[in-house]
Amino acid sequence: MASETLTFPSPRHLAQLYCSNDENLAKAEQALDVTLVSRDDWIKIDGEEDAVAAATELFGLLDKLRGQGIQIGRSDFDNMLASIARGEADEMREVFNNPLVIQLRKKSIVPKTINQKRYLQFIGKNDIVFGIGPAGTGKTYLAMAAAIQALQEKKVQKLIITRPAVEAGEALGFLPGDLKEKLLPYLRPIYDALNEMVGPEETERMTEKGLIEIAPLAYMRGRTLSNAYVILDEAQNTSPEQMMMFLTRLGDSSRMIITGDITQVDLPRAQQSGLKQAVEILAHIEGIKLFYFDHADVVRHPLVSRIIHAYENHLSDSRSKKSK
């Protein structure tokens, strides 16, 4: 058996590492097979030597995260704990020892997984990047953060964010309101992310000045998008024709980021997804990077990762039964 006592600058500092919630300490005890006792500004870890080392690593990395200005939430704690429990301490150290920080005026954004960090690195090096993976992996959020940073640093003149307006049971013509009001439900997640990053007033100001444009994909037809960051979200719901149209809008000094989840296509069953076709056609084109996330990269509520994993297993089992 081994024992380690970690001391921090204050009781409040220590409590912030586990979100001031003793349930998180209980989860860490179970996941890492250790006993944790916390008093005042110290925490004592007892268990087998490897388990104690893992728990020590956990609190050390949480402290690094806090030191980089990140307010640790429950999902942050859970994701860090899951990574340590999987034996991925080296990968997590790489993320936090050499942080890639997106510094925006309202907040700082730090990648929370090694894949998120690599994704941002590829965005910085390639003119077209596809971010493909399940909900909650940060593929669109990080793309928007990188684009806003480039806009604030005047590396581009404009940020254009677009989505296909796929009807979810109702035709647009029968929805109430003018065109903007009809389209708002499709574009609401984008506004929510912008409001979180730069604030509602700044989002409105930048939109009014034309620095940020948020529009349905159909509005991109016939344009050449130069000196801009261009993001296509929910790309799994594009047709092959729409995808080709979008990709060929790329102009001088522009970058494109295409995000989507090929397991959640909302198109009619007979309609091929433009995203699925694009990753087959463009896999070996120089200057285009296809980046894949999986359920382990989900940084929302920990249940989201388990839900995605369960669905993946179910779909895999269904395909196996059909092939027999």
Side-chain angles (χ1 to χ4, degrees):
M1 297 289 287
S3 182
E4 183 77 34
T5 299
L6 307 177
T7 304
F8 297 90
S10 69
R12 183 171 181 269
H13 183 115
L14 171 58
Q16 287 176 340
L17 301 187
Y18 57 90
C19 313
S20 303
N21 189 337
D22 290 341
E23 290 182 5
N24 285 333
L25 294 181
K27 284 191 288 189
E29 287 182 321
Q30 184 175 6
L32 302 178
D33 195 20
V34 294
T35 299
L36 301 174
V37 177
S38 175
R39 296 283 188 278
D40 298 325
D41 61 353
W42 57 265
I43 186 166
K44 184 181 180 185
I45 308 168
D46 292 306
E48 297 295 332
E49 187 172 346
D50 289 348
V52 170
T56 301
E57 188 79 64
L58 170 67
F59 283 95
L61 288 172
L62 287 167
D63 194 39
K64 282 184 180 293
L65 187 64
R66 184 189 180 281
Q68 291 171 11
I70 305 301
Q71 184 175 355
I72 299 169
R74 185 176 69 170
S75 62
D76 298 315
F77 183 90
D78 288 340
N79 289 317
M80 189 83 73
L81 175 59
S83 295
I84 297 298
R86 290 194 300 265
E88 297 173 358
D90 289 343
E91 288 86 347
M92 296 307 298
R93 274 195 297 271
E94 182 181 341
V95 171
F96 296 110
N97 287 345
N98 301 291
L100 195 166
V101 181
I102 298 177
Q103 188 69 53
L104 305 179
R105 293 191 185 117
K106 188 175 177 64
K107 66 183 299 185
S108 297
I109 296 171
V110 179
K112 296 178 181 177
T113 70
I114 190 63
N115 267 350
Q116 286 193 348
K117 182 177 182 180
R118 288 171 180 156
Y119 178 56
L120 284 172
Q121 289 171 334
F122 284 127
I123 286 175
K125 295 177 182 178
N126 297 272
D127 289 336
I128 297 179
V129 175
F130 285 77
I132 304 163
T137 51
K139 54 189 183 295
T140 302
Y141 189 85
L142 291 172
M144 290 174 61
I148 292 171
Q149 183 183 47
L151 185 62
Q152 291 180 348
E153 295 176 353
K154 301 189 184 304
K155 293 179 180 178
V156 294
Q157 295 178 352
K158 192 171 188 177
L159 165 57
I160 301 171
I161 311 170
T162 184
R163 272 185 165 197
V166 174
E167 298 171 1
E170 290 182 297
L172 284 175
F174 290 99
L175 294 176
D178 58 22
L179 181 59
K180 182 178 180 180
E181 291 171 330
K182 292 174 189 289
L183 293 170
L184 184 59
Y186 298 106
L187 304 175
R188 184 76 263 169
I190 293 171
Y191 282 102
D192 289 344
L194 284 171
N195 290 341
E196 181 181 336
M197 290 180 195
V198 300
E201 292 181 1
E202 183 69 3
T203 296
E204 185 175 353
R205 185 191 71 81
M206 296 174 80
T207 302
E208 289 177 351
K209 291 184 67 174
L211 298 175
I212 295 178
E213 178 183 346
I214 305 172
L217 179 58
Y219 285 33
M220 300 298 109
R221 191 172 299 277
R223 301 175 61 183
T224 300
L225 307 175
S226 300
N227 205 355
Y229 245 98
V230 191
I231 299 173
L232 170 57
D233 188 30
E234 298 290 340
Q236 74 275 7
N237 290 329
T238 61
S239 67
E241 294 77 16
Q242 287 175 320
M243 179 61 76
M244 183 178 178
M245 176 275 291
F246 175 77
L247 292 171
T248 54
R249 301 306 94 198
L250 185 68
D252 291 338
S253 302
S254 287
R255 292 195 172 182
M256 283 184 167
I257 308 171
I258 299 96
T259 66
D261 179 359
I262 56 178
T263 69
Q264 293 193 20
V265 178
D266 298 319
L267 297 169
R269 291 192 176 184
Q271 174 71 64
Q272 183 180 14
S273 166
L275 179 60
K276 287 184 177 180
Q277 185 191 67
V279 298
E280 296 171 0
I281 295 174
L282 305 176
H284 304 294
I285 301 294
E286 187 175 352
I288 297 178
K289 177 65 183 177
L290 307 182
F291 194 89
Y292 292 89
F293 293 93
D294 61 30
H295 68 87
D297 297 303
V298 172
V299 291
R300 290 182 182 170
H301 192 288
L303 273 177
V304 175
S305 178
R306 296 175 208 161
I307 290 167
I308 293 167
H309 192 46
Y311 269 91
E312 287 176 349
N313 289 339
H314 175 75
L315 291 172
S316 179
D317 290 343
S318 297
R319 292 189 195 104
S320 297
K321 290 177 181 177
K322 287 180 181 179
S323 63
K324 290 180 181 179

